[in-house]
Every structure is written in structure tokens, then in C-alpha cells.
Amino acid sequence: MSEPRDASELLKIGYKVALLVFTVGQSLSSETSITPWYILSVLLYLSTNLLFYMLKKESFRLLVAVLSIGIAIAMFQDHPLVILLLPAHLYELASIFVGKQGIASSLLMMIPLLLVPRQLMLLYILIAAVTLIYFSTLKLYDNKLRGQHSELERMRGDLERVHTRLQENNEFLRQAEYTLKLEERNRLSQDIHDNIGHAMTSALIQMEAAKRLIKINSDQASLLLDNAIHISKEGIESIRFDLKKMKPPTEQMGVNRMKLFIDEFSDKYPIRTAFTYEGNMDFISPIHWKIIQDNMKEAFTNMMKYAGATAVSIHVQVLPLLIKATVTDNGQGKGKIVKGLGIIGMEERAATVGGKVIVDGSRGFSVTTLIPYTP
């Protein structure tokens, strides 16, 4: 709250100094003699006014305001023009006593009219009116600044709370992810112990028994070995089945990686992004996804450097025998495309799997990666 108050009080000090300079200037141009007492009184008046704004406690400010008025009244006998300094002080006295400066300030500022000489009465009324308008405007300005300052503090507090909650949510997500990993490891360990471990133990026991019977009863030993082999095969099939369940499909891995990169890009830059895909994504192998994503990153880099775009779209389409991945922005485009290291790198990546890259700058800027595949 101190910043708005300091600004308005500096403006009040400036106004009082201007009045003081005006009255002193008028006194110097008049026939009234300037005595050392007058100079001392001016300095005391200036000091008390500065002290008024340095103090924070209302009782001290009231005392200093009364002292300033007393100095001005003491100077009035020899220099009547100092009566023009009173409206500003009377306005501030009204603010200290009643808190509102409207009617109370106007009434207080009219009291010195009983002392004002006739030749200064019109000037005094004018100064009082200007003071009332100026200080009232400052009050409105001060209230507005205080309101904005309070709103800013509230928004800062809300932002800090949101930031704290976001950190807490991120920590919760990390803990949840870690817990899920532990649970999955525990489940896998239990499955291995319950299924594969028991199967391997049973097969080992039967092979040990077959070893002992091979010279005594070969037929029984052969039967035990057959059982052990059968149990071992079932155990291996169980391992393959569990691993197949754990491994995410190629489509899910590729699409999720694309979405993750696009989300990270959207968080860093104020550019709208859209990602769509169609067709059987299972035909896109991991190496194909790697080429598509690397080319997409390079296209994004070129867009940020040269295109001046505000939106970009990515579309991956699986056609018969061909994978088509297109990155298009709404930037300024370019009629003639000069192949730099970025475009050459994209072409080389696509060429490693028999693909090609098409770059077009006629409408915005687009990069299309075409990759053949075998169903």
C-alpha cells in the first residue's frame, strides 16, 4: 500500500511548494520588506510540511499540520499573501478528523475568509477551489492506485497458490507414477514366482528323478523327461505371454511420443498446434516413427526461425503401401525453397528407408514425409 500513497503525497508536496513559491514571489515583488524572520518562517514552514509526509502516525501528523498553520498565521501580519497557503492544510485537517474531504474541507477552507483582506479575497477563493479540485482528484487517483495495488497483490497471492498447488500436483503425479511402477514390478515378480518359478521347480525335480532312474527304468525316466520338457515349454510360453502384455503396442508408443513433444512445444511457445492421424498405425514401425518425429522437430525449428506462424498442424496418414506425415503452418511461406542443412537432413533420414521429403512454401510452409512400407 505504500507505493500509491507515496506517489500521491509527492504530488501534494509539489502543489504546496508551488503555492509557497508563488506567495514568496509575490512578496518579493511587493513593497513588503523581507526580514530574516520571514526567511526563517518560510524555512520552518517548508520543514514542517516535509515532516508531515514523513510521519505515519495520525496524531503526529495532526500536530505538525497545526504547527504549519500556526507558522502561516504568524507570518500573516506582515505578509498577508501567506493566507493563500491555508487551503491545502485545512483540506488535510479535514481528512485527518473526518476521513472524507468533501463538505468538511470546503467549510474549513472558507473560515480564513474572515481574515483575508478584500483585495485578496477573490484570489483566495480561486486558490481554495483549485486546491479542492486538485486534492479531490489526487484522492480519486490514490484510491484507484490502492485498488489496483490490492488487486495486484490478490492476483500475486492467487498465482503463488496456483503455483504451489501445481507443484503439489506434479509431486503427486510423480509419486503416483512411482507407486504404479512399484506395483507393476511387484505384480510381475509375483507372477514369475507363482507361475514360472513353480513350473521350473517342478521341471527340475522331474529331471533330477529322471537322472536317477535312467539306468534302472529308462521308460519311466523318459516319461519324466517328457513331462519336464512340457512343463518348461509352458513356462516359456507364460513368460512370452506376460512380456507381450507388458509391452505397449507400436501405435500407442508412437502416437504418445508425438503428443508429448507437441504438448511440450505448446507450453514453450504461443503457437496453436493440432495433431491428427488416420489409418492403421500398427503399420508404422519404431524406425518410421523416429524419422517422422525427427522431421517434425526440424520443421518446427524452421517454422520458429523463418515462418512467423501462429498455428501449425501435424497429420499422419497410413495409406496402402505408403505412410504420409505432413507438418503445415500458417506462416508467410516462401516462393523459392533453398535447401539448407535442415531440409537436407530430413531428406537423408527419409532416404534411409526408401522415403522422400516434399517441401512447399506456396501457402504457409509445409513439409511432407513419404515412407513406403510392406503390410
Side-chain angles (χ1 to χ4, degrees):
M1 292 294 183
S2 61
E3 294 178 2
R5 178 174 178 175
D6 290 345
S8 63
E9 290 187 348
L10 282 175
L11 292 173
K12 290 178 181 178
I13 292 173
Y15 179 78
K16 286 186 176 181
V17 169
L19 277 181
L20 181 62
V21 170
F22 174 76
T23 57
V24 171
Q26 290 296 316
S27 298
L28 290 174
S29 62
S30 66
E31 297 178 356
T32 307
S33 61
I34 303 300
T35 62
W37 160 246
Y38 178 77
I39 296 174
L40 178 61
S41 299
V42 169
L43 294 176
L44 286 175
Y45 173 83
L46 184 61
S47 301
T48 53
N49 276 272
L50 292 175
L51 182 62
F52 176 83
Y53 295 107
M54 294 173 61
L55 298 172
K56 303 301 179 184
K57 196 171 182 180
E58 290 295 334
S59 58
F60 292 157
R61 290 165 70 93
L62 175 61
L63 181 63
V64 172
V66 172
L67 180 60
S68 297
I69 294 174
I71 295 173
I73 293 175
M75 298 166 61
F76 172 72
Q77 298 296 329
D78 297 323
H79 301 274
L81 282 168
V82 297
I83 200 71
L84 301 177
L85 301 175
L86 292 182
H89 294 289
L90 295 175
Y91 184 96
E92 289 178 331
L93 278 180
S95 68
I96 294 175
F97 278 115
V98 297
K100 295 182 179 180
Q101 296 87 358
I103 299 176
S105 301
S106 302
L107 293 176
L108 277 177
M109 285 191 289
M110 292 299 106
I111 293 177
L113 284 175
L114 301 174
L115 304 175
V116 175
R118 185 179 298 274
Q119 65 272 19
L120 294 178
M121 188 169 294
L122 184 60
L123 182 59
Y124 179 87
I125 294 174
L126 177 63
I127 294 294
V130 171
T131 301
L132 182 62
I133 295 172
Y134 183 80
F135 276 51
S136 298
T137 304
L138 281 183
K139 183 63 178 178
L140 294 175
Y141 165 78
D142 184 52
N143 289 337
K144 185 175 181 180
L145 280 184
R146 286 172 183 268
Q148 292 177 347
H149 191 67
S150 299
E151 181 66 15
L152 183 62
E153 289 297 326
R154 186 190 64 79
M155 294 175 63
R156 185 180 290 115
D158 291 343
L159 183 61
E160 290 177 356
R161 284 191 292 273
V162 170
H163 181 68
T164 301
R165 292 181 64 180
L166 182 61
Q167 288 183 327
E168 292 173 352
N169 289 338
N170 289 337
E171 182 63 26
F172 173 77
L173 290 176
R174 284 193 293 269
Q175 290 294 334
E177 183 180 1
Y178 180 69
T179 302
L180 288 175
K181 289 180 179 178
L182 289 180
E183 291 177 352
E184 183 63 21
R185 288 170 59 184
N186 181 66
R187 185 195 64 79
L188 182 61
S189 175
Q190 192 66 39
D191 286 347
I192 293 175
H193 176 270
D194 293 343
N195 299 325
I196 304 171
H198 291 168
M200 293 298 102
T201 302
S202 177
L204 181 61
I205 292 173
Q206 296 199 43
M207 284 188 288
E208 289 287 345
K211 181 180 178 182
R212 295 175 182 274
L213 292 174
I214 194 168
K215 293 181 179 180
I216 302 173
N217 189 342
S218 60
D219 293 338
Q220 185 66 29
S222 178
L223 181 61
L224 290 174
L225 286 175
D226 288 340
N227 288 336
I229 292 171
H230 178 71
I231 293 171
S232 299
K233 286 182 178 179
E234 287 184 346
I236 292 173
E237 288 300 320
S238 178
I239 293 174
R240 289 175 177 172
F241 180 74
D242 287 341
L243 292 178
K244 188 176 181 180
K245 286 194 304 181
M246 292 177 59
K247 184 178 180 181
T250 303
E251 172 189 351
Q252 182 179 346
M253 291 182 61
V255 170
N256 286 343
R257 284 175 180 170
M258 293 283 284
K259 289 181 178 179
L260 179 62
F261 171 77
I262 293 170
D263 289 342
E264 290 176 351
F265 177 84
S266 299
D267 290 339
K268 292 180 181 178
Y269 305 103
I271 296 178
R272 300 189 307 275
T273 56
F275 173 54
T276 55
Y277 56 93
E278 60 178 307
N280 190 350
M281 298 290 110
D282 286 334
F283 287 132
I284 306 179
S285 66
I287 185 63
H288 294 158
W289 277 118
K290 181 73 167 62
I291 293 171
I292 291 172
Q293 186 167 346
D294 287 346
N295 282 5
M296 181 184 69
K297 290 180 180 178
E298 186 62 40
F300 275 30
T301 301
N302 289 337
M303 176 191 66
M304 294 300 298
K305 287 182 178 179
Y306 312 115
T310 59
V312 60
S313 63
I314 306 95
H315 183 66
V316 179
Q317 185 179 12
V318 178
L319 302 169
L321 305 179
L322 193 66
I323 301 167
K324 180 181 179 182
T326 304
V327 180
T328 307
D329 64 53
N330 65 344
Q332 57 189 2
K334 195 172 184 180
K336 183 178 180 181
I337 303 297
V338 179
K339 292 184 179 180
L341 294 177
I343 296 177
I344 294 174
M346 289 190 284
E347 292 178 336
E348 290 177 348
R349 277 191 291 270
T352 58
V353 292
K356 63 182 299 185
V357 172
I358 301 173
V359 181
D360 182 23
S362 59
R363 291 185 178 180
F365 193 81
S366 69
V367 176
T368 302
T369 303
L370 300 174
I371 302 174
Y373 73 93
T374 303

